Amino acid sequence: MELKNKNIILGVSGCIAVHKSLDVASQLVKQGASVHVVMTSNATRMVLPMQFQVISRNPVLLDLYDSKDDWQPPHISLADLADLLVVAPATANIVGKIANGIADDALSTVAISVHCPILLAPAMNSHMYQNIFVEKNLQKLRENNIGLIEPASGLLACGHEGVGRLEEVGVILERIANVLVIKRDLVGKTVIVTAGPTREYIDPIRFITNRSSGRMGYAIAETAKARGANVILISGKTHLSPPVDVEFLQVETTTEMRKAILDNFDSADVVIMSAAVSDYRPSEYSSVKIKKVEQKMTISLSRNVDILSDLGDRKGPDQILVGFAAETTDILQNAQQKLVGKNLDLIIANDVSAEGAGFDVDTNIVSVLDSGGQCDQFPLMSKHDVADQILNRIVQLFQK
Ligand code: CTP
């Protein structure tokens, strides 16, 4: 009964995969949750509201105007009691409405009324999923801390093969549990997380950077905060909003990032370097805009300090240092070398060229290596789930 006393609004929009949400509702009830289903009118053409009503043991909300007994509008009373809103399946239409604050039916109105976390599990034809406007809406949701249970790939109901299948019920339930069943095992610990790319300026308007979106680091910061840590997030420029209640330090260059870390290092129990730090910076900085004069131009680069190696040299006996190894070849060997060479306790190796891993995606495929020789290889999972796994390993190290 791990979800006892949890109030979950299950939003259901009209998609052929709606039968899976009957199963989601049933499993949530079995785990002790109080489930309140809100259906769009298209969803009611796929399954009967009565099915959800019997399974959830609660009335199903279809319309904002059919409440007779309650003085309060139903979307407000529901929104006020919710611990989580999960929309599964979420069609392109409901994704678009939630991303743009449109409230023209019961579900979209509930979505802008809740003050709890929101998880959406999109499901649609692969061309619709890859449509530029749908992509922009999904991106907007990610940037505003709305959790996405990314659809799986396979044979779709429309006969196409591709991405767009509603994730399996087990995966949806796991993501719900991750949001609601929070371990508070990092209370009293200070965790520094670095995220995003650094910028190395050539002149006032040009810089060298990389493709890091910052999502992995932000997911770690958010998860560590939820597990009770005091979190300092030191981030290069990204499009993401910092998680609530973390101390947020915005930096641009490697030098600024290093200074922000060193200013806080003594009070830190853990440092997780997920930032993509530039190894080089232009040897000379021009304080005025460089004009185009010659046909060819060469920029000379100088090595930056390796922040993590530097921290490895300074590390106290009770501090835990975690690095990332972004690799494209010999993943585990290269990660192992960095683990030893930088005096780390853990390193997270990822093949940034693999599909679903690396830059600008919400998922990652990682292996976690520790200094004692343990190596855990994980399948494709959301960056929030990867964050949880990394923090589980850190908690184990504290227990040793
Ligand atoms: N890192 C750092 N300072 C740098 C470069 C990297 O602190 N100047 C950190 C990264 O944040 C990451 C780890 O070191 O946690 C490994 O970074 P990565 O780019 O994978 O490898 P490098 O050590 O830079 O080696 P190479 O680029 O040769 O693979």
Side-chain angles (χ1 to χ4, degrees):
M1 297 294 264
E2 21 172 40
L3 296 175
K4 196 162 179 279
N5 300 327
K6 299 291 181 194
N7 285 298
I8 300 174
I9 304 177
L10 176 61
V12 182
S13 57
C15 160
I16 195 72
V18 70
H19 62 278
K20 286 188 187 168
S21 45
L22 287 168
D23 203 5
V24 170
S26 154
Q27 300 289 338
L28 291 175
V29 170
K30 277 191 195 139
Q31 290 181 40
S34 185
V35 178
H36 305 267
V37 176
V38 184
M39 295 176 78
T40 64
S41 65
N42 282 341
T44 65
R45 300 166 83 163
M46 304 277 182
V47 295
L48 294 174
M50 184 56 75
Q51 290 173 271
F52 278 109
Q53 183 162 319
V54 172
I55 287 174
S56 70
R57 303 170 196 167
N58 274 314
V60 173
L61 183 66
L62 303 171
D63 184 354
L64 296 179
Y65 299 95
D66 60 10
S67 155
K68 292 169 197 78
D69 311 325
D70 197 352
W71 65 270
Q72 209 179 21
H75 60 287
I76 300 297
S77 36
L78 250 191
D80 282 350
L81 64 79
D83 296 299
L84 174 71
L85 165 64
V86 52
V87 183
T91 57
N93 188 37
I94 194 73
V95 163
K97 287 196 216 175
I98 295 177
N100 293 286
I102 294 170
D104 65 353
D105 64 2
L107 180 54
S108 53
T109 309
V110 166
I112 61 160
S113 310
V114 292
H115 34 91
C116 59
I118 301 179
L119 270 179
L120 299 187
M124 63 197 80
N125 162 277
S126 50
H127 295 306
M128 292 169 72
Y129 185 67
Q130 282 152 359
N131 171 276
I132 180 77
F133 299 109
V134 175
E135 266 185 6
K136 282 187 177 170
N137 286 334
L138 290 167
Q139 187 56 19
K140 209 165 163 183
L141 294 171
R142 288 186 193 104
E143 285 165 12
N144 287 283
N145 288 326
I146 296 210
L148 291 180
I149 306 172
E150 304 279 342
S153 293
L155 185 63
L156 305 176
C158 53
H160 284 192
E161 186 96 31
V163 64
R165 276 168 67 93
L166 180 66
E167 250 307 357
E168 294 308 324
V169 172
V171 175
I172 297 173
L173 293 170
E174 200 181 300
R175 287 293 300 278
I176 292 173
N178 278 349
V179 177
L180 292 176
V181 188
I182 295 164
K183 299 169 225 146
R184 302 283 296 172
D185 48 8
L186 287 170
V187 173
K189 302 290 184 199
T190 296
V191 179
I192 296 179
V193 184
T194 68
T198 55
R199 289 178 174 182
E200 304 300 339
Y201 279 87
I202 300 165
D203 70 10
I205 51 173
R206 302 178 177 104
F207 52 80
I208 297 171
T209 190
N210 58 66
R211 286 179 53 202
S212 170
S213 66
R215 278 197 216 147
M216 190 65 248
Y218 278 57
I220 296 171
E222 189 183 336
T223 310
K225 181 74 220 174
R227 288 170 73 157
N230 166 37
V231 177
I232 305 172
L233 173 60
I234 300 172
S235 174
K237 291 272 185 185
T238 73
H239 294 293
L240 307 172
S241 322
V244 280
D245 290 339
V246 308
E247 186 180 339
F248 182 68
L249 303 175
Q250 175 80 75
V251 295
E252 286 196 77
T253 64
T254 303
T255 309
E256 287 170 10
M257 181 168 281
R258 177 166 180 261
K259 180 172 183 315
I261 298 170
L262 291 181
D263 286 349
N264 292 284
F265 187 59
D266 288 347
S267 62
D269 299 291
V270 186
V271 179
I272 306 173
M273 281 292 296
S274 73
V277 184
S278 179
D279 290 324
Y280 293 91
R281 67 179 183 285
S283 304
E284 279 174 34
Y285 169 72
S286 166
S287 58
V288 292
K289 184 187 169 198
I290 299 171
K291 305 299 284 180
K292 59 170 182 303
V293 183
E294 309 294 340
Q295 279 305 321
K296 278 193 172 177
M297 178 177 175
T298 307
I299 299 174
S300 158
L301 301 174
S302 303
R303 274 283 286 272
N304 268 333
V305 175
D306 189 309
I307 303 175
L308 199 48
S309 283
D310 186 16
L311 298 179
D313 293 339
R314 294 166 189 258
K315 183 169 73 121
D318 297 328
Q319 287 180 307
I320 293 177
L321 209 50
V322 183
F324 273 74
E327 307 293 345
T328 52
T329 52
D330 302 326
I331 319 294
L332 295 179
Q333 294 90 311
N334 285 332
Q336 179 65 29
Q337 271 178 16
K338 288 176 188 172
L339 175 76
V340 175
K342 301 191 188 201
N343 192 23
L344 308 179
D345 300 283
L346 281 185
I347 192 151
I348 321 305
N350 66 336
D351 178 352
V352 283
S353 61
E355 190 160 335
F359 305 106
D360 254 332
V361 285
D362 219 24
T363 51
N364 211 346
I365 308 168
V366 302
S367 301
V368 180
L369 293 80
D370 74 12
S371 51
Q374 188 177 331
C375 172
D376 297 320
Q377 292 182 267
F378 294 99
L380 179 86
M381 49 171 79
S382 75
K383 286 186 173 168
H384 278 90
D385 290 342
V386 172
D388 247 323
Q389 295 295 348
I390 296 169
L391 294 172
N392 287 346
R393 294 290 287 117
I394 290 171
V395 169
Q396 280 173 17
L397 292 180
F398 277 128
Q399 285 163 353
K400 278 187 190 165

